[in-house]
mmCIF file of all heavy atoms in Angstrom:
data_model
loop_
_atom_site.group_PDB
_atom_site.id
_atom_site.type_symbol
_atom_site.label_atom_id
_atom_site.label_comp_id
_atom_site.label_asym_id
_atom_site.label_seq_id
_atom_site.Cartn_x
_atom_site.Cartn_y
_atom_site.Cartn_z
ATOM 1 N N ARG A 2 86.924 116.239 140.876
ATOM 2 C CA ARG A 2 86.531 115.356 139.855
ATOM 3 C C ARG A 2 87.438 115.613 138.647
ATOM 4 O O ARG A 2 87.679 116.765 138.277
ATOM 5 C CB ARG A 2 85.060 115.541 139.476
ATOM 6 C CG ARG A 2 84.121 115.195 140.639
ATOM 7 C CD ARG A 2 82.737 115.599 140.342
ATOM 8 N NE ARG A 2 82.153 114.706 139.351
ATOM 9 C CZ ARG A 2 81.103 114.847 138.690
ATOM 10 N NH1 ARG A 2 80.277 115.795 139.065
ATOM 11 N NH2 ARG A 2 80.716 114.010 137.777
ATOM 12 N N VAL A 6 90.343 111.743 128.954
ATOM 13 C CA VAL A 6 89.799 111.324 127.636
ATOM 14 C C VAL A 6 90.946 110.665 126.813
ATOM 15 O O VAL A 6 92.044 111.234 126.713
ATOM 16 C CB VAL A 6 89.269 112.605 126.887
ATOM 17 C CG1 VAL A 6 88.730 112.220 125.537
ATOM 18 C CG2 VAL A 6 88.252 113.339 127.762
ATOM 19 N N ALA A 35 88.123 110.116 139.527
ATOM 20 C CA ALA A 35 88.593 110.158 138.081
ATOM 21 C C ALA A 35 87.817 109.217 137.228
ATOM 22 O O ALA A 35 87.697 108.045 137.536
ATOM 23 C CB ALA A 35 90.112 109.750 138.111
ATOM 24 N N ALA A 39 86.397 107.008 126.736
ATOM 25 C CA ALA A 39 87.153 106.515 125.659
ATOM 26 C C ALA A 39 86.322 105.515 124.806
ATOM 27 O O ALA A 39 85.385 104.935 125.314
ATOM 28 C CB ALA A 39 88.409 105.781 126.113
ATOM 29 N N CYS A 41 85.471 101.933 123.245
ATOM 30 C CA CYS A 41 85.743 100.525 123.638
ATOM 31 C C CYS A 41 85.120 99.616 122.631
ATOM 32 O O CYS A 41 83.968 99.795 122.375
ATOM 33 C CB CYS A 41 85.169 100.270 125.008
ATOM 34 S SG CYS A 41 85.922 101.134 126.362
ATOM 35 N N PRO A 44 83.365 95.212 126.126
ATOM 36 C CA PRO A 44 83.041 95.762 127.444
ATOM 37 C C PRO A 44 84.194 96.608 128.022
ATOM 38 O O PRO A 44 85.348 96.299 127.778
ATOM 39 C CB PRO A 44 82.754 94.555 128.271
ATOM 40 C CG PRO A 44 83.424 93.410 127.569
ATOM 41 C CD PRO A 44 83.538 93.774 126.094
ATOM 42 N N PRO A 45 83.810 97.694 128.697
ATOM 43 C CA PRO A 45 84.928 98.513 129.358
ATOM 44 C C PRO A 45 85.741 97.675 130.313
ATOM 45 O O PRO A 45 85.255 96.769 130.971
ATOM 46 C CB PRO A 45 84.062 99.555 130.076
ATOM 47 C CG PRO A 45 82.756 99.605 129.473
ATOM 48 C CD PRO A 45 82.518 98.202 128.997
ATOM 49 N N PRO A 48 85.320 99.492 135.837
ATOM 50 C CA PRO A 48 84.041 100.250 136.097
ATOM 51 C C PRO A 48 84.087 101.738 135.934
ATOM 52 O O PRO A 48 83.047 102.390 135.682
ATOM 53 C CB PRO A 48 83.742 99.891 137.628
ATOM 54 C CG PRO A 48 84.596 98.676 137.868
ATOM 55 C CD PRO A 48 85.799 98.730 136.953
ATOM 56 N N ALA A 49 85.257 102.385 136.095
ATOM 57 C CA ALA A 49 85.359 103.806 135.924
ATOM 58 C C ALA A 49 85.437 104.361 134.508
ATOM 59 O O ALA A 49 85.607 105.501 134.325
ATOM 60 C CB ALA A 49 86.576 104.309 136.741
ATOM 61 N N GLY A 54 81.405 104.273 122.466
ATOM 62 C CA GLY A 54 81.206 103.579 121.227
ATOM 63 C C GLY A 54 82.435 102.909 120.708
ATOM 64 O O GLY A 54 83.476 102.817 121.432
ATOM 65 N N ASN A 62 98.765 109.623 106.086
ATOM 66 C CA ASN A 62 100.157 109.693 105.739
ATOM 67 C C ASN A 62 100.859 108.288 105.540
ATOM 68 O O ASN A 62 101.991 108.087 105.884
ATOM 69 C CB ASN A 62 100.930 110.481 106.764
ATOM 70 C CG ASN A 62 100.472 111.961 106.965
ATOM 71 O OD1 ASN A 62 100.111 112.500 105.913
ATOM 72 N ND2 ASN A 62 100.510 112.429 108.109
#
Side-chain angles (χ1 to χ4, degrees):
R2 295 174 68 188
V6 181
C41 292
N62 295 327

